[in-house]
Amino acid sequence: RPGGRMVIGGAGATTTAVTITNGRFAIKSRNNDVTYEIEGAVTGDEKPKIVIRDGDKKPIEADELKNVPDEYRPMVEKLLASVRRP
């Protein structure tokens, strides 16, 4: 939805908000004590900026899915699929 905002719940996510504006997306999701923030371009080769905060642990920052720790990767994959990045 260009210029729109969509909120998704369920499937392990307490709350998820996806915003797409001018070809850019921002995803914010919270699952219990874990917060996921992902930003990037909907199309093209720009790598997304991924930030994961898990309670009091140090934030995890990654620019590629392969750099996301295994325990968080399935959720990040699902969130990125919601913006259909080619």
Side-chain angles (χ1 to χ4, degrees), residues 1-5 19-24:
R1 294 177 49 191
R5 183 173 179 185
T19 305
I20 300 174
T21 306
N22 297 326
R24 302 211 41 90

Side-chain angles (χ1 to χ4, degrees), residues 9-66:
T14 304
T15 58
T16 299
V18 179
T19 305
I20 300 174
T21 306
N22 297 326
R24 302 211 41 90
F25 70 87
I27 303 170
K28 293 189 180 189
S29 181
R30 183 173 179 91
N31 183 359
N32 298 318
D33 288 337
V34 182
T35 302
Y36 300 85
E37 295 180 14
I38 308 171
E39 298 178 355
V42 175
T43 59
D45 337 345
E46 178 186 320
K47 295 178 181 178
K49 178 183 176 188
I50 303 166
V51 179
I52 302 166
R53 293 180 177 84
D54 188 348
D56 293 334
K57 297 178 186 175
K58 181 180 176 184
I60 298 163
E61 295 188 20
D63 62 359
E64 289 187 79
L65 187 59
K66 70 180 183 180

Side-chain angles (χ1 to χ4, degrees), residues 36 38 65 68 72-83:
Y36 300 85
I38 308 171
L65 187 59
V68 173
Y72 304 106
R73 194 171 300 146
M75 185 64 171
V76 173
E77 286 175 333
K78 179 178 178 175
L79 293 169
L80 284 171
S82 71
V83 292

